[in-house]
Amino acid sequence: IHENVGENGNGGPKEYQESYDELILAVGAAPFKPPIPGIERPGLFSLRNLQDMDAIAQWIDHKAESGMPMGDMHFVVAGAGFVGLEMVEQLVHRGANVTLVE
């Protein structure tokens, strides 16, 4: 099996064929939710896709509209991978207090 692959490195754009016998697309898994009391309560979110992000943003906006200033909100982000760090950055940018747990 051959696949045309595009690359844009220092030498400029180029295209080449990459050969393989089998192709595995590993797009990730469902987020781990530990079996602890309260894991399904409002305000606990998993972030895997845009719909999850929309739900988080709506929850934050609802809290703000209810009179809670962003600076009074404290968020805990579990996971220091790319998505977790990006979430921390965006929350801090909005003025929230954030704790990152690895």
Side-chain angles (χ1 to χ4, degrees):
I1 301 172
H2 299 283
E3 183 70 34
N4 289 332
V5 179
E7 179 180 306
N8 191 359
N10 291 338
K14 66 179 180 178
E15 187 174 302
Y16 61 94
Q17 275 195 350
E18 186 69 42
S19 298
Y20 53 89
D21 295 317
E22 304 291 335
L23 175 64
I24 298 173
L25 297 175
V27 295
F32 174 70
K33 285 185 163 185
I36 57 175
I39 194 69
E40 297 297 330
R41 74 176 182 83
L44 290 175
F45 298 94
S46 296
L47 178 56
R48 278 306 279 173
N49 54 42
L50 290 174
Q51 291 81 10
D52 294 341
M53 185 64 240
D54 289 343
I56 295 168
Q58 288 175 357
W59 187 82
I60 293 170
D61 291 343
H62 175 72
K63 288 290 189 182
E65 290 167 2
S66 297
M68 180 177 278
M70 198 65 179
D72 288 351
M73 294 186 203
H74 181 222
F75 297 86
V76 176
V77 176
F82 175 78
V83 173
L85 292 177
E86 185 67 25
M87 189 73 206
V88 168
E89 180 182 11
Q90 294 306 313
L91 289 168
V92 168
H93 180 73
R94 290 180 74 161
N97 298 300
V98 183
T99 299
L100 175 63
V101 178
E102 173 53 26

